[in-house]
Amino acid sequence: MQCQLPFLPHPHFPVRYLQHPYKFLKVSRLIKRRTIANEACDTGRISINGKLQKASYEVKVGDVISIRFGEKPVEARVLSVKEPIRKEEAEELFEYL
């Protein structure tokens, strides 16, 4: 019989608890499409913790994301960063402020 060990992360490739903003916005369903989220980051419509951020920034738990589309700005605090996630669980990733 062959013994199977549980999965252990490799020390040089740790488990990621960070995501780029465009990916988080898509996974959390705050913005429907990743390309639109990426454009919003690049055009300065997304600020994280009060600072404009590019798409290469790494979103962490506790960050406050502000999205400016039209006249209705949206602010949300990041509660969890994980993927893949089902549509029903998407609202568990953030809370509206």
Side-chain angles (χ1 to χ4, degrees):
M1 277 216 278
Q2 190 177 22
C3 178
Q4 293 184 351
L5 298 174
F7 171 75
L8 297 174
H10 194 276
H12 297 292
F13 304 104
V15 177
R16 283 183 54 129
Y17 294 105
L18 304 170
Q19 277 183 353
H20 293 293
Y22 64 89
K23 181 71 173 178
F24 177 80
L25 292 169
K26 198 295 188 191
V27 169
S28 66
R29 306 316 195 269
L30 283 167
I31 295 180
K32 195 179 254 188
R33 295 188 184 149
R34 197 170 82 180
T35 54
I36 294 171
N38 196 11
E39 289 173 10
C41 291
D42 290 339
T43 57
R45 295 178 185 227
I46 306 295
S47 62
I48 300 174
N49 298 327
K51 296 180 183 177
L52 293 178
Q53 299 292 350
K54 294 290 184 181
S56 60
Y57 179 83
E58 297 283 343
V59 175
K60 302 174 285 306
V61 173
D63 284 348
V64 175
I65 299 177
S66 300
I67 307 166
R68 290 181 308 280
F69 275 131
E71 296 180 18
K72 188 176 178 182
V74 175
E75 283 194 348
R77 183 184 326 276
V78 178
L79 299 177
S80 178
V81 180
K82 59 183 177 179
E83 65 168 313
I85 191 165
R86 293 185 304 212
K87 185 177 181 180
E88 298 82 29
E89 299 171 346
E91 286 192 15
E92 297 173 8
L93 297 178
F94 65 93
E95 67 178 351
Y96 288 109
L97 300 177

